[in-house]
Amino acid sequence: MTAEPTIRKVLDTLRAERLLSDAGAAKMALLAVESAPLATPWYVRALLGASAWLAALFVLVFIGITLRINSAQTIFLLGVVLIATATAGRRFFEHIFLNQLLLAASFAGQAMVIGGIAKDGNDTGAALATIVMEIVLLILYRDATHRFISTLIAVVAAVVVCSELHMPNLILLLIILVAVGAFLIWENEIELVTSGKGDLFRPAGYALVVALLILPLLSITSGVWHELGINFMTHQTSWWLSSAGLLALAVALEFRILRSCGVPADSPSALTLFAATFLLALFLLGAPGITAALLVLLLGFHRGNRVLMGLALLFLPLFLVFFYYNLQQTLLLKSLTLMTSGVTLLIVRFIFRRLGGLSREVHHA
Amino acid sequence: MTIDPLERKTTPRELHRLAQAGNWSPATLERALAVAGCLPDKSDWQRFINTMLLLMGAALALAGIIFFFAYNWAAMGRFIKFAVLEAVLVATVVIAWQRGLQTLSGKVALLAAAVLLGPLLAVYGQTYQTGADPYQLFTGWAALIAGWVCISAFAPLWLLLLVLLNTALILFWGQVLEPGRWSDAGLYEALFLLNGMALAAWELFAARGVRWLTGRWIPQIIACAALLALLIPTMMLIFESGYRAEHAPYLVFAPLLYLVSVAFALWYFRCKSHDLFILAATLLSAIIVATTFIVSILHDGFAMFLPIALLIVAQSVAAAAWLRATAKAWEIEQ
């Protein structure tokens, strides 16, 4: 990416290309001159989010002890009241202290709703209700942190449903759905922003990417879950299905990238990249986490989003560490998988450079 | 001379804000992002594909090689183990020498060599059963790479050295010193002094304009480590019931050091070296200590839970508001 030019240059270019009228450009200049809302760094958001969670825990304990509630219905109803109050309050008030208090109340309410349903042993029902609740809150609760966590909770609840139904291959479908969701959100980010839905979908997009990177860890951490008494039945799961789904998405993304660069899909460079993607996914069938990380890296660069790229680069070594300790495959098989994949990429790079890369390709309309 | 407020770099977030306020079409926003350099063009993709194929290919291949040696390690003879490690070590040093320490690849090669020295020493200790304590391995490792670290002008190598020194200190404290005389609190305070001095040295030389010290992620890591080293004994003292000096010597110094460090950090990283992350970490530690202190006072009865919840929220909100005001003040100063 080239060095960032100034706001003036951007507005002047848009005006010169008739994408903005003179009046529109002047209005934008005025807006830009006014103090822009200071963006809150991620670690400050994390500080506020973590404190809200901790406060919610204390609120929950206080309510539980004070009211001595034993009835599942009462817990459930009290939770609904808390969520409704918090959601309504957030829509009408904009104050940093109140926002955090309402966030804590919402999390406490959600825990009570889930606990109220699960109290009678209905874990599947609780998980399904959680998914519905989080989708509704994603739309209604206007807070980026809340939307991010709501999406993650919904994905976790979906995993619980898959586990409770004893249908492990549903988790593979979930991975593909999460990947498709992340792909659609980030590839349509511009349309979402201009239609005013950016604030709704961006936090969900980040959460789906995090979920996409974490879910494949289930394929290599089955031993840990069994020791904890949580049965994901991962030894019966055909993880290659998720790799195949991620491969399809990666190819679709590459089509879009090549088209944006004006490179025909049937050019030698393009075919080289497609072949490399296919081969890589084939070698990494048993390691869907690596394919997921590479997909997120590609998506992040395509959207100019360093956070997505950072997540992918952070997750990749983490997955490799877990992959090392995975007992479902021998070290020899794992080493061959990685060496073959690595050498394939290096050979593809050699061929790609010999073909002149993207620079020789010209799209003839 | 007045500065044109529009002659400043734009960001994707700002363009999104303008797009929403101005009801831009998707094509307009996309063009604006492209002009601002926020989206990659064909040459960016060319470089990215070349770089990523190289880095990912090398990383996966190397990981595969490491896995392969792990598979065969037990069956390998000792001389083969030494030969493999020393061959890779020599190769990385040669690469560093050939590429030169002015290049990134040369520095990374030297870092790899420094990392590989550790397993070589470990294999040496295993093979010849020298009877050395583990702390001696880390101390020796740190001593052997010190020269490379000094000539590298590469911040991650200094971080590696600091990690080795911290590890050596922890092992030394646990294995060699008398626990009754030199308590855990003394260890934490020693760790704080070690990391605090490293941070002070970093800030001193960075302020003098040493070019390779301009990145902030390493001092941020060191600051977090130093804070954590004092946070733990401070919380220990808060929870220590019937504290007796003879059972926990040096523990009483921890909260004093902690308070002085927090006050100094809040002043220094706000007024001298602008670092919002370190300020946030410092405030987070202060919130933890304050909440822990209040919980220890109100330890009876369930009625404390609600006030504590409100206290947590109030403290975090106050901290966030102060951090935002600080960032705003820095922006105005610039």
Side-chain angles (χ1 to χ4, degrees):
Chain A
M1 279 158 260
T2 53
E4 297 168 12
T6 61
I7 301 173
R8 180 174 294 289
K9 173 146 193 235
V10 171
L11 292 177
D12 287 346
T13 306
L14 293 178
R15 198 172 52 206
E17 294 180 9
R18 307 274 178 99
L19 289 169
L20 266 188
S21 64
D22 290 344
K27 182 184 167 192
M28 292 297 104
L30 201 60
L31 261 177
V33 166
E34 288 168 5
S35 298
L38 201 61
T40 307
W42 67 266
Y43 41 86
V44 177
R45 285 180 187 271
L47 169 70
L48 292 171
S51 69
W53 273 110
L54 196 56
L57 191 64
F58 279 99
V59 166
L60 211 60
V61 172
F62 174 76
I63 291 173
I65 296 175
T66 308
L67 300 180
R68 296 182 194 275
I69 302 168
N70 287 319
S71 157
Q73 287 83 4
T74 311
I75 293 172
F76 174 84
L77 285 171
L78 203 54
V80 169
V81 168
L82 268 176
I83 293 172
T85 308
T87 307
R90 189 66 182 88
R91 288 176 84 90
F92 294 111
F93 299 109
E94 187 63 49
H95 187 278
I96 191 167
F97 180 81
L98 267 179
N99 288 350
Q100 289 312 303
L101 200 59
L102 294 172
L103 198 64
S106 176
F107 289 148
Q110 288 174 51
M112 293 173 77
V113 164
I114 297 169
I117 299 173
K119 197 172 189 296
D120 295 328
N122 186 3
D123 290 345
T124 308
L128 287 169
T130 302
I131 294 171
V132 172
M133 176 176 66
E134 298 303 337
I135 290 173
V136 170
L137 287 175
L138 176 69
I139 298 166
L140 294 180
Y141 201 106
R142 292 180 182 169
D143 183 270
T145 305
H146 195 288
R147 282 173 163 156
F148 176 83
I149 295 175
S150 280
T151 310
L152 278 181
I153 292 174
V155 172
V156 169
V159 172
V160 170
V161 169
C162 297
S163 173
E164 290 295 315
L165 294 178
H166 300 288
M167 297 171 73
N169 286 333
L170 274 184
I171 292 180
L172 310 172
L173 181 62
L174 177 63
I175 290 177
I176 295 170
L177 283 174
V178 164
V180 168
F183 178 87
L184 288 174
I185 288 174
W186 289 110
E187 281 297 291
N188 294 292
E189 183 189 13
I190 288 175
E191 286 77 11
L192 290 171
V193 167
T194 51
S195 64
K197 298 191 182 75
D199 290 341
L200 168 60
F201 284 101
R202 279 174 62 92
Y206 281 116
L208 288 176
V209 164
V210 169
L212 174 61
L213 293 172
I214 291 179
L215 282 174
L217 282 175
L218 292 174
S219 67
I220 50 174
T221 52
S222 56
V224 173
W225 297 110
H226 282 307
E227 280 184 28
L228 292 174
I230 300 170
N231 183 13
F232 281 112
M233 304 175 71
T234 52
H235 58 282
Q236 297 178 11
T237 312
S238 308
W239 290 100
W240 64 268
L241 288 169
S242 61
S243 294
L246 294 174
L247 164 67
L249 271 177
V251 169
L253 182 57
E254 285 169 11
F255 262 116
R256 291 175 68 103
I257 292 166
L258 290 166
R259 191 175 61 193
S260 70
C261 292
V263 176
D266 56 354
S267 65
S269 297
L271 292 174
T272 305
L273 289 175
F274 290 141
T277 308
F278 178 77
L279 281 174
L280 199 64
L282 189 66
F283 297 143
L284 295 173
L285 274 181
I290 300 177
T291 312
L294 294 176
L295 176 63
V296 170
L297 185 64
L298 208 59
L299 190 60
F301 189 78
H302 184 43
R303 302 314 313 160
N305 191 316
R306 289 199 173 114
V307 174
L308 295 184
M309 293 174 67
L311 283 171
L313 291 173
L314 188 69
F315 173 80
L316 190 58
L318 189 66
F319 186 87
L320 286 173
V321 169
F322 278 102
F323 190 53
Y324 179 84
Y325 288 104
N326 177 30
L327 297 177
Q328 291 176 10
Q329 296 177 30
T330 63
L331 263 177
L332 177 64
L333 182 61
K334 286 184 280 191
S335 73
L336 290 174
T337 298
L338 292 174
M339 280 195 285
T340 314
S341 308
V343 168
T344 300
L345 288 178
L346 293 171
I347 292 173
V348 165
R349 181 177 182 266
F350 174 75
I351 297 172
F352 190 71
R353 284 165 68 97
R354 287 295 291 265
L355 291 171
L358 301 175
S359 56
R360 282 195 193 165
E361 309 294 349
V362 175
H363 176 68
H364 296 288
Chain B
M1 180 178 131
T2 56
I3 300 170
D4 183 355
L6 294 180
E7 289 297 329
R8 59 184 165 86
K9 287 192 294 188
T10 184
T11 61
R13 180 178 282 272
E14 180 157 35
L15 290 174
H16 289 177
R17 187 174 69 91
L18 293 178
Q20 281 185 291
N23 290 320
W24 290 3
S25 68
T28 305
L29 177 55
E30 178 144 16
R31 182 65 185 134
L33 289 167
V35 170
C38 301
L39 297 177
D41 56 21
K42 188 189 275 194
S43 61
D44 293 325
W45 272 112
Q46 180 82 28
R47 270 193 303 276
F48 176 78
I49 291 171
N50 272 327
T51 307
M52 278 301 131
L53 285 175
L54 173 64
L55 291 179
M56 286 296 152
L60 290 177
L62 278 172
I65 292 169
I66 291 170
F67 280 37
F68 181 77
F69 279 112
Y71 172 74
N72 283 305
W73 196 252
M76 281 185 191
R78 59 186 177 180
F79 291 111
I80 295 178
K81 287 181 187 177
F82 277 121
V84 165
L85 279 169
E86 286 170 2
V88 178
L89 182 59
V90 167
T92 49
V93 172
V94 167
I95 292 170
W97 172 63
Q98 279 203 322
R99 301 292 294 172
L101 292 181
Q102 312 89 314
T103 66
L104 180 61
S105 51
K107 291 175 194 282
V108 170
L110 192 62
L111 175 64
V115 170
L116 284 168
L117 206 51
L120 180 61
L121 293 173
V123 169
Y124 184 87
Q126 278 177 353
T127 305
Y128 295 108
Q129 293 295 312
T130 56
D133 287 323
Y135 84 88
Q136 289 174 315
L137 180 145
F138 287 93
T139 313
W141 188 357
L144 286 171
I145 68 168
W148 286 346
V149 173
C150 289
I151 63 170
S152 67
F154 191 40
L157 259 171
W158 282 96
L159 185 63
L160 173 65
L161 180 65
L162 189 60
V163 168
L164 294 177
L165 291 173
N166 274 275
T167 308
L169 179 60
I170 292 169
L171 292 170
F172 175 78
W173 209 274
Q175 292 164 2
V176 176
L177 298 183
E178 293 175 38
R181 190 174 170 209
W182 305 92
S183 66
D184 285 346
L187 167 61
Y188 289 117
E189 286 156 13
L191 286 170
F192 165 73
L193 287 173
L194 173 64
N195 291 289
M197 283 193 298
L199 182 61
W202 182 287
E203 293 295 330
L204 178 66
F205 288 105
R208 288 186 182 178
V210 176
R211 200 163 41 89
W212 56 274
L213 293 177
T214 51
R216 294 303 301 171
W217 64 277
I218 288 181
Q220 286 167 354
I221 291 173
I222 300 173
C224 288
L227 271 173
L228 190 63
L230 280 184
L231 184 64
I232 296 171
T234 303
M235 290 177 66
M236 280 164 58
L237 183 65
I238 291 173
F239 282 122
E240 186 88 358
S241 57
Y243 164 73
R244 293 177 189 277
E246 61 269 23
H247 287 160
Y250 308 110
L251 189 59
V252 71
F253 296 120
L256 297 172
L257 269 176
Y258 176 78
L259 287 171
V260 169
S261 307
V262 163
F264 180 77
L266 289 176
W267 168 77
Y268 182 81
F269 290 106
R270 188 185 192 282
C271 302
K272 297 292 181 188
S273 172
H274 294 179
D275 194 313
L276 204 66
F277 182 87
I278 294 179
L279 289 175
T282 307
L283 288 174
L284 175 64
S285 75
I287 289 171
I288 292 172
V289 168
T291 306
T292 306
F293 181 68
I294 290 169
V295 167
S296 70
I297 293 174
L298 303 174
H299 56 90
D300 287 328
F302 64 87
M304 70 171 183
F305 285 103
L306 188 59
I308 287 172
L310 291 174
L311 180 69
I312 291 170
V313 173
Q315 286 178 107
S316 62
V317 162
W322 186 80
L323 289 168
R324 281 182 177 165
T326 301
K328 187 97 178 155
W330 291 346
E331 200 179 282
I332 292 169
E333 275 174 36
Q334 281 177 357

